[in-house]
Amino acid sequence: SEAQSVRITSSALIKKDGTDDPKAVLAIYEDFQCPHCRDFEKTFGSALNKIVESGAAAIDYNLVSILNATNKGYSMRAANAAYCVGDENKDAFVRFHSALFASQPVEGSGSGPDNASLIETARQAGVTGGVPECINSGKYDDMVKGLAAASKITATPTIRLNGQDI
């Protein structure tokens, strides 16, 4: 299916002259099961929020499932859930994103939150609406499965500024 990201911006966004397009876009490719992604979020999450709030850049979150073989498919289910939350509310997505990394299961432990737990985390982040149905249906599973390969991502986190790896 067609690749999609969750774009986070602010009303202060600096745009390209004569357009509504952001002048700068940070594309972040993450796997919710990746310990390095968790460390990236812990170290740089507040700085990224400040970049968005200041209008310096938009951030496109691209959620992949490179580490899906462990923890009962948690990587794909968490990514699907994040896209579902992003569909409903971008502010809730930011809270949900942080919450999933804060409670990340140990890689290869064989455990991981089930869909009911992901739905509860989404509710605590501030959304319900169609999110439970979206999560349970696996609406974004196919996209999440193929996104790393389609984007030529071999490791997470991968960060791109205006399409260039940094």
Side-chain angles (χ1 to χ4, degrees):
S1 59
E2 191 167 320
Q4 149 180 354
S5 59
V6 177
R7 177 164 284 177
I8 305 298
T9 64
S10 77
S11 59
L13 181 65
I14 299 168
K15 299 174 183 175
K16 292 179 184 177
D17 290 339
T19 75
D20 284 332
D21 296 332
K23 190 166 189 172
V25 177
L26 275 174
I28 301 175
Y29 295 82
E30 299 174 306
D31 185 322
F32 283 114
Q33 186 59 70
C34 166
H36 301 295
C37 296
R38 178 198 60 223
D39 295 344
F40 179 82
E41 169 65 17
K42 184 186 282 187
T43 303
F44 298 108
S46 62
L48 292 172
N49 290 337
K50 288 178 184 173
I51 287 170
V52 168
E53 289 169 13
S54 74
I59 297 182
D60 285 353
Y61 286 96
N62 301 275
L63 309 158
V64 300
S65 63
I66 293 174
L67 300 172
N68 201 49
T70 64
N71 294 4
K72 302 176 185 173
Y74 173 71
S75 177
M76 183 178 63
R77 290 183 301 99
N80 173 69
Y83 280 110
C84 293
V85 171
D87 283 349
E88 290 283 326
N89 183 295
K90 301 297 191 235
D91 292 332
F93 169 85
V94 173
R95 291 187 295 272
F96 185 78
H97 177 268
S98 295
L100 290 188
F101 280 123
S103 63
Q104 182 185 73
V106 174
E107 182 183 357
S109 66
S111 66
D114 60 11
N115 284 357
S117 295
L118 291 168
I119 291 166
E120 177 57 21
T121 301
R123 187 194 65 73
Q124 291 174 7
V127 294
T128 52
V131 171
E133 181 180 328
C134 181
I135 290 173
N136 285 326
S137 73
K139 177 179 179 178
Y140 292 103
D141 286 356
D142 288 341
M143 181 190 67
V144 168
K145 284 179 192 176
L147 186 57
S151 302
K152 297 180 174 50
I153 300 301
T154 58
T156 54
T158 293
I159 316 301
R160 293 179 174 156
L161 176 60
N162 292 337
Q164 299 296 313
D165 286 357
I166 57 172

